Amino acid sequence: MVSPELLRTNMRCIFCKNTSAESKSVEHIIPESLGNTAHTLPPGIVCDKCNQYFALKVEKPVLDSSVFRSLRSTMDVPNKKRRIPVPPNENKMELPEYRLTARLLGKIGLEALASRTKSIAGCEEEIIDKPELDAVRDFTRFDRGPDWPFVYRPIYLAESVFYDGTESYEVLHEYDLLYTKGNELYIVVVLFGVELALNLGGPEIDGYNHWLASHKYASPLYVGKNAEPKN
């Protein structure tokens, strides 16, 4: 059995593949400024350099777009400094840049995969060394290659209120991984009621569209193993 100390020494980042044994940063799978405090990865799975890169170069410009600023302001979602964003003074709401949004989804997807398998010995190394994930890794972390398409569709209103018994709540974000019959792996994320899905294995979305059509366009987050409805 490999000792925890040796495993720690041999840690590598799932994005840059460099040694990450000295990293100190906890990685938030969904950005902390979207209200996420629960879905995190321990230090070393994502190195400090990649953590800082994503925070400044990918997450920040997406979250600073007028649409996200407006939603975060309306729903009182604070940033890391616990401040509510000032609503944009614009008549027309601008979506975040398409390529940056795709890169954010790729980051969430690889981290969700690492989170799903982190308790299984050797799985982090398999994610790092898996050639099928290199294209999305290079696109996400290093901005290489052409644009990566993703599916985008609203599935409920951002201000929707759901109930669990007598308790009411709003949903800021939710996500899951979807494996299709065509052996494709998608990350499916819902932010403020909008579903976004990206194929981690390649820049194609036909498989997801086929999955939706065969499931009457229900969200993967609410059918199959996720079939428990929100009342």
Side-chain angles (χ1 to χ4, degrees), residues 20-98:
S20 56
E22 301 302 320
S23 294
K24 308 295 184 185
S25 302
V26 171
E27 175 69 9
H28 289 74
I29 298 173
I30 299 289
E32 192 173 2
S33 294
L34 287 177
N36 172 41
T37 58
H39 306 296
T40 62
L41 293 172
I45 294 181
V46 177
C47 72
D48 289 346
K49 185 175 181 180
C50 288
N51 180 299
Q52 293 164 9
Y53 174 86
F54 283 123
L56 293 175
K57 300 297 185 179
V58 177
E59 295 176 3
K60 187 177 188 302
V62 170
L63 297 179
D64 281 348
S65 67
S66 56
V67 164
F68 272 100
R69 283 170 51 206
S70 177
L71 287 167
R72 292 166 60 212
S73 175
T74 299
M75 300 186 73
D76 294 330
V77 183
N79 60 20
K80 290 183 179 181
K81 297 180 179 179
R82 311 312 300 166
R83 297 173 183 166
I84 304 297
V86 176
N89 185 20
E90 302 174 19
N91 293 325
K92 182 180 179 181
M93 293 291 102
E94 295 292 338
L95 294 171
E97 198 267 328
Y98 186 91

Side-chain angles (χ1 to χ4, degrees), residues 12-14 17 124-130 134 137:
R12 290 190 294 155
C13 173
I14 62 171
K17 301 188 180 184
E124 286 171 27
E125 289 296 310
E126 184 174 350
I127 293 172
I128 293 167
D129 294 327
K130 201 170 187 64
D134 282 342
R137 194 186 338 262

Side-chain angles (χ1 to χ4, degrees), residues 97-226:
E97 198 267 328
Y98 186 91
R99 186 176 178 90
L100 278 174
T101 304
R103 293 177 66 202
L104 176 60
L105 293 174
K107 172 228 178 244
I108 293 171
L110 286 173
E111 291 179 358
L113 186 59
S115 177
R116 178 75 61 84
T117 60
K118 68 178 184 289
S119 62
I120 305 172
C123 276
E124 286 171 27
E125 289 296 310
E126 184 174 350
I127 293 172
I128 293 167
D129 294 327
K130 201 170 187 64
E132 292 86 350
L133 295 174
D134 282 342
V136 72
R137 194 186 338 262
D138 285 348
F139 171 77
T140 298
R141 174 60 177 88
F142 301 106
D143 198 15
R144 296 171 182 159
D147 285 349
W148 203 285
F150 58 88
V151 176
Y152 169 94
R153 61 180 190 141
I155 60 173
Y156 53 79
L157 296 175
E159 300 88 354
S160 295
V161 177
F162 303 100
Y163 294 90
D164 182 5
T166 59
E167 298 293 324
S168 63
Y169 60 95
E170 294 177 317
V171 177
L172 300 177
H173 54 77
E174 48 190 333
Y175 70 89
D176 202 358
L177 294 164
L178 171 69
Y179 295 88
T180 69
K181 291 183 178 179
N183 295 320
E184 292 180 321
L185 175 61
Y186 288 85
I187 179 65
V188 183
V189 184
V190 175
L191 302 176
F192 298 110
V194 175
E195 180 189 276
L196 306 105
L198 180 136
N199 186 353
L200 296 177
E204 298 180 4
I205 55 176
D206 287 349
Y208 191 74
N209 288 326
H210 291 156
W211 188 96
L212 288 176
S214 66
H215 289 79
K216 300 180 179 180
Y217 295 93
S219 173
L221 300 185
Y222 303 115
V223 299
K225 64 184 176 65
N226 298 319

